[in-house]
């Protein structure tokens, strides 16, 4: 019997938020795969969509990139240390780039206790200001994973916007503060860097309304059902101060921080698509026998701007099969060649989250075993050994 030739496997997962980084997920799945198929060629491409792990995904692409630490005010007013990424100019005369994550500066993982109405985006604004002070001429801002629903008010305040209440005093923090908005003074607002601001989003929700930030994402941040209407009204009042339409696609991303960045002049784009392009995934997928992607929770939102949905879309024209690894799976996995949920392997969500890397190794082994039984489905195109 002729031995099966080695396959080319591309592993490009998102992070399992609060459980494992994208790099840890990719390495664990690869380790499990290699226990079954040790001769296969494996490439790792940890992904992100503008949320947690954006810095980690982009940093390896730029060898001269420098992680810089800044002390910020977390979304619960507690001081915290955060990092942003400085990417020096690639050529003489070109400008430098700063990459800042909302998730690491005003993110939900920084909260000791959820506080949907009080959490704010000040820390994100402080990190942006630090990047501007360092002289960057372009910003890439990832806005997934927020703790706040303040419309970006806290961020804008840190960038020099004076948002005032009916007495002429600065508004308080969070969504509650946004609801006090009566006027805005932009005379001291910091200008955009000369090469612009790119905003990486993972959702297309508007700021307000039934599909808006408060209605859709407020409950994830601790909002009670009875609070949603008031939170939405607060965002509407805040939005009325500016020319940006609160129904603009993506303005509800990051607890409405997308709206605040549009006010400042930022351009919102798909985070997963941008990072996939930077990592050259369209070409790398074409040259693979199998793409493995994954995320912590595969649900009805996964196909809209998230990593797994974007990569499955990129793979469709190439007919490269796509396998899914997820912490939990709550909707149909039609369109994937194979799938495995860590909760199914571990028995419970608690057990899976207690030792995710162990179950990710098992998941990789299971996918490899199934791949062997099904046989290779495609001959790789042009590979570099």
């Amino acid at each position: 019997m002729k031995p099966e030739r080695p396959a080319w496997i591309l592993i490009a997962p998102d992070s399992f938020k609060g459980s494992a980084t994208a790099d840890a997920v990719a390495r664990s799945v690869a380790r499990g795969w290699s226990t079954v198929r040790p001769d296969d060629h494996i490439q790792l491409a940890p992904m992100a969509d503008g949320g947690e792990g954006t810095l980690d995904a982009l940093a390896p692409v730029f060898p001269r990139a420098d992680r810089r630490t800044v002390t910020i005010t977390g979304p619960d007013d507690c001081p915290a240390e955060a990092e942003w990424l400085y990417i020096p100019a690639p050529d003489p005369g070109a400008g430098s780039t700063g990459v800042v994550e909302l998730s690491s500066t005003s993110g939900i993982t920084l909260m000791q206790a959820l506080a949907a109405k009080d959490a704010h985006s000040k820390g994100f604004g402080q990190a942006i200001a630090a990047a501007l002070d360092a002289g960057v001429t372009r910003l890439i801002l990832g806005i997934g994973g927020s703790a706040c629903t303040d419309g970006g008010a806290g961020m804008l305040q840190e960038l020099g916007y004076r948002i005032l209440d009916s007495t002429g005093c600065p508004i308080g923090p969070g969504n509650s503060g946004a609801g006090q908005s009566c006027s805005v003074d932009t005379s001291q607002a910091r200008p955009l860097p000369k090469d612009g601001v790119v905003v990486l989003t993972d959702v297309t929700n508007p700021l307000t309304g039934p599909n808006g930030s408060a209605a859709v994402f407020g409950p994830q941040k601790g909002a009670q059902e009875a609070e949603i209407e008031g939170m939405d009204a607060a965002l509407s009042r805040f939005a009325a101060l500016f020319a940006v339409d609160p129904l603009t696609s993506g303005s509800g991303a990051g607890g409405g921080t997308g709206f605040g960045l549009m006010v400042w002049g930022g351009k919102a784009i798909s985070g997963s698509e941008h990072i996939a392009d930077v990592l050259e995934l369209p070409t790398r997928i074409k040259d693979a026998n199998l793409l493995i992607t994954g995320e912590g929770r595969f649900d009805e939102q996964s196909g809209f701007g998230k990593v797994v949905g974007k990569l499955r879309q990129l793979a469709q024209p190439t007919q490269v099969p796509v396998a899914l690894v997820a912490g939990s799976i709550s909707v149909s996995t039609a369109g994937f060649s194979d799938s495995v949920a860590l909760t199914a392997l571990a028995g419970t969500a608690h057990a899976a989250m207690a030792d995710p890397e162990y179950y990710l190794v098992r998941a990789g082994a299971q996918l490899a075993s199934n791949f062997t039984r099904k046989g290779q489905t495609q001959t790789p195109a042009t590979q570099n050994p």
Side-chain angles (χ1 to χ4, degrees):
M1 180 177 178
K2 186 178 179 179
E4 187 179 81
R5 64 179 178 272
W8 291 81
I9 312 300
L10 177 62
I11 304 178
D14 197 355
S15 64
F16 283 33
K17 292 177 177 56
S19 180
T21 66
D23 182 69
V25 173
R27 291 182 184 279
S28 297
V29 171
R31 193 157 62 246
W33 184 280
S34 295
T35 63
V36 176
R37 296 179 58 94
D39 296 328
D40 286 346
H41 307 285
I42 298 176
Q43 289 188 4
L44 306 184
M47 267 287 288
D49 55 18
E52 180 184 66
T54 297
L55 264 63
D56 293 335
L58 293 178
V61 182
F62 304 96
R64 295 170 57 217
D66 175 24
R67 289 178 181 265
R68 300 192 176 183
T69 302
V70 58
T71 301
I72 51 91
T73 304
D76 57 357
D77 275 340
C78 294
E81 295 292 309
E83 289 185 332
W84 64 278
L85 188 68
Y86 178 85
I87 302 175
D91 302 300
S96 57
T97 298
V99 185
V100 185
E101 284 181 6
L102 187 150
S103 62
S104 65
T105 53
S106 302
I108 199 165
T109 57
L110 298 178
M111 299 288 290
Q112 296 188 17
L114 296 178
K117 296 180 68 175
D118 298 325
H120 56 72
S121 57
K122 289 183 180 181
F124 186 50
Q126 291 165 352
I128 293 171
L132 293 174
D133 290 343
V136 301
T137 63
R138 178 173 181 256
L139 284 167
I140 298 175
L141 306 177
I143 61 171
S146 72
C148 54
T149 313
D150 69 350
M155 173 201 69
L156 289 174
Q157 288 174 307
E158 296 298 327
L159 294 176
Y161 286 73
R162 296 188 67 239
I163 304 167
L164 309 174
D165 63 18
S166 60
T167 69
C169 295
I171 61 171
N175 181 270
S176 297
Q180 303 166 356
S181 305
C182 285
S183 63
V184 59
D185 175 3
T186 63
S187 62
Q188 300 300 314
R190 300 192 67 153
L192 289 175
K194 72 179 183 68
D195 295 324
V197 174
V198 175
V199 183
L200 306 184
T201 69
D202 60 351
V203 299
T204 57
N205 300 70
L207 177 67
T208 58
N211 294 316
S213 184
V216 176
F217 305 112
Q220 301 172 8
K221 301 170 187 180
Q224 302 300 309
E225 185 65 32
E227 296 176 307
I228 298 298
E229 184 176 351
M231 291 176 65
D232 189 65
L235 293 174
S236 294
R237 179 167 179 162
F238 172 69
L241 301 179
F242 304 99
V244 175
D245 186 346
L247 299 182
T248 303
S249 176
S251 61
T257 307
F259 176 84
L261 287 169
M262 290 174 187
V263 166
W264 193 36
K267 179 184 178 182
I269 64 172
S270 165
S272 55
E273 184 172 346
H274 177 80
I275 294 174
D277 286 343
V278 172
L279 299 181
E280 300 182 336
L281 289 188
T283 298
R284 295 167 74 179
I285 290 171
K286 181 178 63 177
D287 292 341
N289 292 113
L290 177 70
L291 166 65
I292 301 174
T293 188
E295 63 179 354
R297 179 187 300 170
F298 184 75
D299 56 23
E300 62 278 355
Q301 295 184 22
S302 297
F304 302 97
K306 304 293 185 179
V307 165
V308 295
K310 177 55 63 176
L311 294 190
R312 184 170 62 178
Q313 179 184 348
L314 289 176
Q316 283 176 347
T318 68
Q319 297 185 329
V320 171
V322 183
L324 171 70
V325 178
S328 64
I329 297 175
S330 60
V331 294
S332 170
T333 58
F336 290 97
S337 63
D338 199 359
S339 62
V340 56
L342 303 194
T343 51
L345 296 176
T348 67
H350 177 76
M353 293 185 70
D355 195 357
E357 293 185 27
Y358 169 76
Y359 290 106
L360 285 163
V361 171
R362 287 186 54 186
Q366 179 172 311
L367 291 177
S369 297
N370 293 345
F371 185 79
T372 298
R373 286 196 297 272
K374 294 176 182 178
Q376 285 186 215
T377 58
Q378 179 182 336
T379 299
T382 55
Q383 299 291 358
N384 297 313

